[in-house]
Every structure is written in C-alpha cells, then in structure tokens.
C-alpha cells in the first residue's frame, strides 16, 4: 500500500508541470485543456494499474472490511446480482482533478471481469487521496446492462445511488429500491457521501 501511494503521490509533480504550462496560458483552448486532462489521467493510470492477482487480493480485503463493519452487509451482498469493487480509487487535484482506479466485477463470489474507473475535470483543490468504492447491481437487468456495455458512464448509461452510512451501522436491504447502489470509504474505514457523475467505467484485460 505504501509503495502504491508513493507512486500516486509522485504524479502530483507531473500534474503541476502540466497545470502551470497549460491552464494558465492565455492561448489555451478548450480542446487543449481536454488534451491536458487526458494526459494527466494517463499518467495516473500508469501509477495505479495492477495485475489480476493483485486486484483480486485487494478486492477480498475490501469486501472483508465491509462485511465486518456493516451489519447486514452479507445479506445485502447475497441479494445483489453482482458487485463491482474498486479497492483503491486514487484522486489527485492540482488545477486538474483526475480520478482513477482498478477493480473487479464479482458474480457469485467470483471475479468475472476487471474494470477501470476514470474521470477528469478542472478543479480548485490541491492534494491526493484514495478511497474504496463498492457498486452493487441489485437486479439482473442492471447487471446485464452494465456488463454488456462498451464503456459505462455514470449519469448517462446508468445512475449510482450512493448510500451514506457510518461504519458500525447497518444496511436495511428491504429499504433499498434502487437498481444500482454504491458505498465508499477511506483507508481508515470511514464512510462518506460520494458522486461518480460523469465517471466512465471501462472493461480492461488483466492476466
């Protein structure tokens, strides 16, 4: 984990150079800003990408934390048609805010595919952070729509309703009516609200 976070933090320097040279240029166009954001995303992806084995190990740990801290989580997972788990989504902000992470789609407890989430925008924040994200597909139709998509954009191809609860609390599965719901927590296990609006989730090939 420490080595991974050091690599993530190292990309701040790259983002700073890109930010200074591009965003504050009076001649910078919208198209150039898009290119700058894409370059920043690619740099961060290079720092966080992992093998299938590494992802599965981290997914197992993330699920274990969730099951141990949230009452009713096991029943909730059993009711879900599939769960998409991103053990560590890294976000770096320095004029350009980029967020990415890799995870696995679990169906019946097995990883059937691997995914990467990506988003980028102009922000006025400085710093880096990492969080875990779990997205549960509560119906077979929702799962099928996601799994068969060629890139799934949150807010366009489907919505994710994030449940804001604290660790040590419980999930009332009977009250969750949305077809796709999500949870997020930081390395300390604290739950907090989140939106993935505009984030793209794409399938990646892992060995």
């Amino acid at each position: 984990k420490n080595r991974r976070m050091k690599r993530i933090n190292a990309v701040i320097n790259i983002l700073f150079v890109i930010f200074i040279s591009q965003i504050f240029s009076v001649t910078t166009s919208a198209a150039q800003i898009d290119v700058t954001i894409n370059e920043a995303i690619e740099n961060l992806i290079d720092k966080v990408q992992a093998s299938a084995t590494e992802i599965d190990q981290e997914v197992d740990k993330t699920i274990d934390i969730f099951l141990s801290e949230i009452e009713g989580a096991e029943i909730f997972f059993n009711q879900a048609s599939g769960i998409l788990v991103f053990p560590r989504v890294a976000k770096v902000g320095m004029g350009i805010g980029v967020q990415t992470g890799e995870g696995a789609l679990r169906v019946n407890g097995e990883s059937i595919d691997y995914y990467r989430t990506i988003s980028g925008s102009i922000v006025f924040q400085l710093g880096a952070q990492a969080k875990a994200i779990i997205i549960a597909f509560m119906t077979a139709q929702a799962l099928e729509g996601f799994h068969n998509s060629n890139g799934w954009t949150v807010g366009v191809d489907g919505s994710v309703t994030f449940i804001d609860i604290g660790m040590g609390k419980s999930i009332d599965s009977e009250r969750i009516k949305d077809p796709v719901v999500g949870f997020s927590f930081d390395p300390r296990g604290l739950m907090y609200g989140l939106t993935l609006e505009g984030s793209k989730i794409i399938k990646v090939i892992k060995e």
Side-chain angles (χ1 to χ4, degrees), residues 8-180:
I8 292 171
N9 290 334
V11 82
I12 293 178
N13 294 326
I14 299 172
L15 290 175
F16 181 75
V17 173
I18 296 172
F19 173 59
I20 292 298
S21 63
Q22 294 287 340
I23 301 304
F24 281 150
S25 171
V26 295
T27 60
T28 299
S29 66
Q32 287 173 314
I33 290 175
D34 286 341
V35 170
T36 299
I37 291 174
N38 289 335
E39 289 175 348
I41 290 173
E42 289 300 321
N43 281 319
L44 188 54
I45 287 174
D46 184 58
K47 303 297 180 183
V48 302
Q49 60 184 347
S51 67
T53 299
E54 290 171 330
I55 292 173
D56 282 332
Q57 290 174 345
E58 293 301 316
V59 166
D60 288 338
K61 293 177 184 177
T62 302
I63 291 175
D64 286 345
I65 292 172
F66 194 79
L67 291 175
S68 65
E69 296 291 342
I70 303 295
E71 184 180 347
E74 186 171 1
I75 295 174
F76 174 76
F77 278 170
N78 289 337
Q79 291 178 343
S81 294
I83 57 172
L84 178 62
V85 183
F86 292 104
R88 191 175 297 106
V89 176
K91 182 177 182 180
V92 178
M94 184 175 283
I96 300 169
V98 296
Q99 177 173 282
T100 188
E102 295 184 331
L105 178 63
R106 293 276 176 96
V107 176
N108 296 324
E110 301 291 333
S111 294
I112 64 170
D113 274 310
Y114 298 92
Y115 289 84
R116 178 180 296 138
T117 177
I118 304 169
S119 66
S121 61
I122 303 299
V123 298
F124 298 98
Q125 295 177 331
L126 171 66
Q129 60 179 264
K131 56 183 171 288
I133 296 175
I134 296 176
I135 298 174
F137 300 92
M138 303 308 296
T139 67
Q141 183 179 5
L143 175 62
E144 183 179 0
F146 170 78
H147 191 226
N148 292 338
S149 67
N150 183 24
W152 199 78
T153 301
V154 180
V156 176
D157 299 303
S159 297
V160 179
T161 302
F162 274 85
I163 310 296
D164 193 3
I165 60 175
M167 282 301 195
K169 301 294 181 65
S170 63
I171 299 176
D172 185 353
S173 301
E174 297 299 321
R175 298 182 63 180
I176 296 177
K177 305 300 181 183
D178 299 284
V180 185

